[in-house]
Amino acid sequence: MAASIGPPEDGASMGRRRCTARRTDGNPCGNRPLKGQSVCKFHGGAAPQSRAAAVRRQVEAEARQVLAELGVSPVGDPLEALLKLAGQVIAWQEATAALVNQLDSIRYQAGSGEQLRAEIVLYERAMDRAVSVLSAIARLNIDERLVQVTERQADALIGALNAALVAAGVDGERAELARRAAARHLRSVD
Ligand SMILES: [Zn+2]
């Protein structure tokens, strides 16, 4: 294990990461942390809010990467920056489309050929940029991934509720009523 001859991307940096928590005897835990987290599943990594935060950090890291590829340096929340960029790119694309539409009226004027070409090039560039930004956002699958986390949190809550009902010795119709009340509450929170 001394020489690092593994794959250059994952091997070197990911392989050495260890859970940052300490065991009850005071020694470092040493387990592998869960993906996108600094702690293992025994030290809080499996909690729904930890998983949700990990997914969000991962999505944000990927958004930052996409922004870097597009030559934009994000200030603050990279997801917000990405969506703002998409809005700007689409607005610019629409503006250049309007410009190209206006060209109809001058198409037959002598000597307007060069200008017409320049504006169409501008429009095509704006289209390309809009497509690349939007497809980059689509590849991140932001909405779906954040929703999946929320569903996992809801499952975890229902599991916790069931355990609480069992521990309190509540079963049958009363347990069912409690479950339904919890489901109603979760929906209203959502
Ligand atoms: Zn640990």
Side-chain angles (χ1 to χ4, degrees), residues 47-59:
Q49 65 270 28
S50 305
R51 288 187 186 276
V55 170
R56 173 158 261 274
R57 274 197 300 275
Q58 205 187 330
V59 172

Side-chain angles (χ1 to χ4, degrees), residues 19 29 40 43:
C19 172
C29 165
C40 72
H43 285 118

